[in-house]
Amino acid sequence: MWSSEQKMSSIIIYRAFSARHIPEEVEKIMVNDFLKDPRDREALLLANSSSRDMHLQQHLTDRIAIMELMNPPFNLNQSELFTKTVLNLENRKIDDARFLVFAKAVSRGALTALEKLYLHRNQIGDAGITAFALALESGALPKLESLVLSYNSIGDVGVTALATALATAVRSGALASLKKLFMDDNKIGDAGISALASACASGALDKLEDLSLYDNKIGDQGMISLSDTLGKGDLPKLEVLGIDLRIDSSSAKLQSACEARRIDV
């Protein structure tokens, strides 16, 4: 049985949604979701009409973005939007356009319980990963422990954006639990690796245990950047580094740095 407060809130919400021509089935989900948060109910009941409309519009915009994850290629159920802990989106033909939808949804509060995210074997490029990085920077996916981005089309621009987000996340407390980061078989070169190393120097990825970068385009400078990072004690929890070693001085330097830290390479 709803309280008088809930009934009054629902009337206000329904009227606002009806004015925006929201489909009835979506409207019911949003009303029930809105009423779960006492802060939303209080804003509707106590605020003046102008601030109330702004609050409602923001909530509506957020929920519409989040509910996009119920559509292909994501196909989440309503109950999973805020409770799912493991999400496997392998080989869903997710390109940058679709990944922008995903990034927007998580930036608006979707998947806050997520711990493991598998995005390998898709078509995600620099534009998609940049939008995702901005979402992470704002505090999205706060419980994420494993992020798999292998077999995509991410290059230096995307990794640099991700590195910037990681460095910012150190100050905001986001991504504090990340332990596994897999980016095998992308298009990452020296510039991207150097940006990632710089982020680690600022304290990013201090819980990371497993970093995998096989089958990229990492040259001498990238190897040296990683060597220097490990030599300075960054990535303090790292146990495994997956990377293609060559028979040259830069690879030898990286291998030596890993051996000194007892990191499997």
Side-chain angles (χ1 to χ4, degrees):
M1 183 69 67
W2 278 7
S3 67
S4 58
E5 178 194 31
Q6 288 174 310
K7 289 178 181 177
M8 189 179 298
S9 298
S10 67
I11 291 171
I12 295 171
I13 301 169
Y14 272 118
R15 285 176 177 171
F17 285 179
S18 295
R20 292 173 172 84
H21 306 290
I22 303 299
E24 182 178 358
E25 63 274 14
V26 176
E27 185 178 288
K28 289 179 179 178
I29 293 172
M30 288 185 171
V31 169
N32 289 331
D33 176 56
F34 200 98
L35 292 174
K36 291 177 183 177
D37 192 332
R39 294 171 299 177
D40 288 332
R41 297 200 302 270
E42 182 180 353
L44 288 176
L45 295 170
L46 301 180
N48 61 49
S49 59
S50 176
S51 59
R52 183 174 64 222
D53 286 347
M54 289 178 61
H55 184 90
L56 182 62
Q57 181 61 50
Q58 185 61 57
H59 179 95
L60 178 61
T61 301
D62 290 348
R63 288 306 179 266
I64 288 175
I66 290 170
M67 291 181 69
E68 287 290 339
L69 297 184
M70 297 173 67
N71 299 324
F74 311 108
N75 298 321
L76 295 179
N77 297 322
Q78 183 200 347
S79 61
E80 297 175 320
L81 293 174
F82 304 101
T83 61
K84 199 166 184 66
T85 58
V86 179
L87 179 57
N88 187 352
L89 295 173
E90 177 188 4
N91 200 22
R92 298 286 186 92
K93 298 181 179 180
I94 299 172
D95 56 12
D96 280 343
R98 291 184 174 94
F99 202 47
L100 287 171
V101 172
F102 183 86
K104 184 176 181 179
V106 298
S107 73
R108 298 301 177 93
L111 299 171
T112 51
L114 199 66
E115 297 175 359
K116 298 179 181 180
L117 176 57
Y118 301 96
L119 289 160
H120 48 308
R121 300 185 187 281
N122 282 292
Q123 301 155 21
I124 301 167
D126 287 337
I129 203 66
T130 297
F132 183 61
L134 291 173
L136 295 176
E137 185 176 325
S138 69
L141 307 180
K143 297 183 179 180
L144 196 64
E145 296 183 358
S146 297
L147 176 58
V148 179
L149 293 164
S150 303
Y151 301 97
N152 280 285
S153 298
I154 302 166
D156 288 337
V157 172
V159 173
T160 298
L162 183 60
T164 300
L166 289 169
T168 303
V170 172
R171 297 188 290 273
S172 67
L175 286 182
S177 301
L178 195 66
K179 296 179 180 178
K180 298 180 184 295
L181 177 58
F182 293 177
M183 296 190 290
D184 308 301
D185 207 330
N186 278 281
K187 300 177 180 180
I188 305 167
D190 289 346
I193 295 301
S194 294
L196 193 62
S198 295
C200 293
S202 70
L205 299 176
D206 64 342
K207 299 290 180 60
L208 198 70
E209 298 174 356
D210 195 343
L211 174 61
S212 195
L213 297 164
Y214 288 116
D215 296 319
N216 278 287
K217 299 180 178 181
I218 304 169
D220 290 345
Q221 188 55 53
M223 294 287 189
I224 293 170
S225 294
L226 284 174
S227 302
D228 292 343
T229 293
L230 296 178
K232 291 184 294 185
D234 300 330
L235 296 171
K237 300 290 186 180
L238 194 67
E239 298 176 357
V240 180
L241 174 61
I243 195 167
D244 298 307
L245 294 175
R246 305 181 299 270
I247 303 176
D248 57 28
S249 59
S250 61
S251 291
K253 182 178 180 180
L254 178 57
Q255 186 165 13
S256 177
C258 288
E259 289 175 353
R261 292 266 305 269
R262 297 183 179 178
I263 295 170
D264 289 337
V265 63

